[in-house]
Amino acid sequence: MIGMDILKPMVALMAWTMVMWVWMYVTRIPAIGKMEGQNAPGADVGWTGAKLEGALPPSVQWKAHNYNHLHEAPTLFYAVCLVLAVIGQGSGVNATIAWTYVGLRVAHSIWQATVNRVMVRFALFTLSTLALIALILHAGIAVFGLV
């Protein structure tokens, strides 16, 4: 099918989101267990993410923050990739831009989950957003017949 190459980076980002889900819980569950054993009886009963925010070490929460971030701007990525695939524009430069977006989002995830220096994280986010904007522009040009 013409234009379907762009579905590969979509699936790759979905898979990466699940990697971050696993990483989040592999670090969060032991941290909650440690809290329960030390200074917060009932920490594993009914606590929300908001309550955990101030209680867990920041380095544990960074994974959860990133997992949440992977459900924000990437929703536009999934939508624009589907549009480009449906209209037969999901190959070539658009597929390359999509892979670039995924690579930048993975780099953003790793950075946020480990080092989390804000300016580098912001630069990675900005670059990925520029890739997303390019995909949206390409879809808009094609859908509205501007070329």
Side-chain angles (χ1 to χ4, degrees):
M1 299 176 85
I2 298 172
M4 301 304 265
D5 291 343
I6 204 161
L7 299 180
K8 294 175 184 174
M10 278 182 63
V11 172
L13 189 56
M14 290 177 209
W16 177 255
T17 301
M18 294 301 97
V19 168
M20 287 306 301
W21 179 84
V22 169
W23 194 1
M24 174 180 65
Y25 283 112
V26 163
T27 55
R28 191 179 246 191
I29 290 171
I32 291 171
K34 186 175 178 185
M35 278 177 34
E36 174 72 21
Q38 292 179 352
N39 59 350
D44 65 341
V45 179
W47 281 32
T48 63
K51 189 160 183 180
L52 290 172
E53 188 62 42
L56 293 177
S59 61
V60 171
Q61 287 297 90
W62 295 343
K63 286 83 172 159
H65 297 163
N66 187 263
Y67 177 72
N68 289 336
H69 292 164
L70 288 169
H71 291 87
E72 294 170 351
T75 60
L76 294 174
F77 172 73
Y78 298 132
V80 76
C81 286
L82 288 174
V83 168
L84 290 165
V86 166
I87 65 173
Q89 298 287 319
S91 297
V93 70
N94 288 329
T96 300
I97 294 168
W99 277 116
T100 300
Y101 180 82
V102 171
L104 288 165
R105 290 308 305 224
V106 169
H108 177 272
S109 291
I110 293 169
W111 185 265
Q112 184 173 18
T114 58
V115 180
N116 205 16
R117 296 274 185 238
V118 174
M119 290 311 295
V120 173
R121 195 178 90 211
F122 177 71
L124 291 166
F125 176 76
T126 299
L127 290 171
S128 72
T129 301
L130 291 173
L132 183 57
I133 289 168
L135 289 172
I136 293 168
L137 284 173
H138 290 175
I141 289 166
V143 167
F144 291 102
L146 300 175
V147 174

